[in-house]
Amino acid sequence: MTSPAELAEAFQSLYGSRPRIYRAPGRVNLIGEHTDYNDGFVMPAAIDFSTSVAIDARDDRRIVIRSENFSEPVELDLDQPPARGRGDWSDYPFGVAVKLEGTGQRLRGANILVRGEVPIGSGLSSSAAIEVATGFALLDIAGAPIDRLDLAKVCQQAENEFVGMRCGLMDQFISCFGQTGHALMLDCRSLAHQLLPLPENVRLVVCNTMVKHELAASEYNARRAECEESVRLLARELPEVRSLRDVTIEDLERTGGELPEVIRKRSRHIVSENARVVAAAAALQREDLKTFGELMGESHRSLRDDYEVSCEELDLMVNIANQAAGVFGARMTGGGFGGCTINLVAADSVDIFKQTVASGYAQATGRVPEIYVCTPAQGAERVA
Ligand code: ADP
Ligand code: MG
């Protein structure tokens, strides 16, 4: 865990003044995969890995930023904002600064030091963590009120338009709204959300397959297009359907016969996954981890067989996990074709679980997986 005092020291020796410190967490998605861009339901939790930002205002309108995770310091002149990023890590924090100013907010120049402990590029959303931490910090030192929903939206806009990554709102939303000990069910259409306490005796264990297949980006776009095609076809008979969110399993069974086989399978994943998120939320409310874990297993099979975004390594990782002691459920998480699995594991079995997965996976693939043990954490905040 980052010690704020140590980060303040590092900032002071770099810039010569005392900073304020802010942090924002990464996240993991418990269930609800590929549902976000179909106006559906997701269930992320903020995790106890976060990105910290040490910051002090400057007298001019320049932002000078340095990240301990990258070597070069970078500068931005708020009075000459570029329309798009330059293609490096600074696009994430600078995109947020530029988009905040775009909302009419007048920011102050600042010196910033970033320290990230969210694994980068592993599907735990280090990108949202740096965006939200920077946005929160810039607003606060400008004396501006912080509306968390507005902040999440500006960060998403920065990633969409300044970085050029077409992501939904989930990551930024949970980084702003996460609560210690809770997962959060989010309706991606209305943005209505519900906090769901996670029993204290379980951990969220993320296992990294350490592979990322080339297919990921092109297949992601292909799935989005298939979902849009499904809506177009279904709307001929069900005119009120605007997204797969509006479709039920019964609708699909009644009208789905006319859909091409591939489109029908893709649709069945989205429609059944939305229903699973709702059922999982109900299970969590009655502390029924067994049912919750079974729903995770169904989610994985649906992603594997109907949505076809899993891969050999993810399936292997899930199979090994399912045979380990103390596991309630396991599934792939994120876009697919590599990346991580999420596992719900009894706290007192975490060590043996880690050993089982690490050795089983290494034996079968020759790769040593990274394993992160997480508990649900608090959203963005100023650190004393
Ligand atoms: P993920 O969000 O799954 O970790 P992304 O590819 O969406 O992966 O975002 C990772 C990118 O975000 C990094 O390549 C870098 O540009 C930026 N980033 C994340 N954390 C930091 C950090 N601590 N310092 C600087 N840049 C960071
Ligand atoms: Mg990201």
Side-chain angles (χ1 to χ4, degrees), residues 27 51 67-70 88-90 92-93 114-128 130 159 165 171:
R27 63 97 188 92
T51 295
S67 168
E68 291 184 347
N69 307 85
F70 293 81
D88 69 17
W89 66 270
S90 67
Y92 294 82
V114 178
R115 176 176 288 180
E117 60 181 24
V118 184
I120 290 177
S122 297
L124 296 179
S125 206
S126 68
S127 55
I130 188 174
E159 191 156 338
M165 168 66 204
D171 299 356

Side-chain angles (χ1 to χ4, degrees), residues 11 15-20 54-58 109-113 141:
F11 182 95
Y15 296 111
S17 67
R18 293 300 288 176
R20 292 190 194 177
I55 187 168
D56 191 26
R58 293 168 56 102
N111 293 324
I112 299 179
L113 176 62
I141 65 158

Side-chain angles (χ1 to χ4, degrees), residues 136-193:
F136 200 106
L138 286 171
L139 285 172
D140 207 45
I141 65 158
I146 294 166
D147 178 307
R148 286 175 186 259
L149 183 55
D150 289 344
L151 176 59
K153 286 180 177 170
V154 165
C155 290
Q156 180 201 15
Q157 196 194 359
E159 191 156 338
N160 288 169
E161 296 170 11
F162 200 86
V163 176
M165 168 66 204
R166 199 180 161 199
C167 60
L169 184 63
M170 170 170 75
D171 299 356
Q172 294 82 5
F173 191 96
I174 188 67
S175 188
C176 285
F177 286 96
Q179 290 272 326
T180 305
H182 292 74
L184 180 151
M185 178 162 108
L186 174 66
D187 179 336
C188 295
R189 172 175 279 168
S190 68
L191 302 184
H193 56 283

Side-chain angles (χ1 to χ4, degrees), residues 28 30 44-48 178-184 196-200 202-204 374-379:
V28 63
L30 276 65
I47 54 174
D48 46 345
Q179 290 272 326
T180 305
H182 292 74
L184 180 151
L196 299 159
L198 202 72
E200 277 177 20
V202 291
R203 297 289 174 270
L204 306 173
C374 311
T375 53
Q378 196 65 22

Side-chain angles (χ1 to χ4, degrees), residues 36-95:
D36 58 343
Y37 54 83
N38 288 292
D39 280 352
F41 299 104
V42 293
M43 197 192 291
I47 54 174
D48 46 345
F49 291 83
S50 45
T51 295
S52 298
V53 159
I55 187 168
D56 191 26
R58 293 168 56 102
D59 293 332
D60 59 14
R61 290 255 296 158
R62 306 184 79 78
I63 296 180
V64 178
I65 191 166
R66 194 186 277 265
S67 168
E68 291 184 347
N69 307 85
F70 293 81
S71 55
E72 297 298 300
V74 195
E75 274 196 42
L76 173 78
D77 183 350
L78 286 168
D79 292 323
Q80 290 179 7
R84 288 189 55 89
R86 33 185 264 172
D88 69 17
W89 66 270
S90 67
D91 295 351
Y92 294 82
F94 286 167

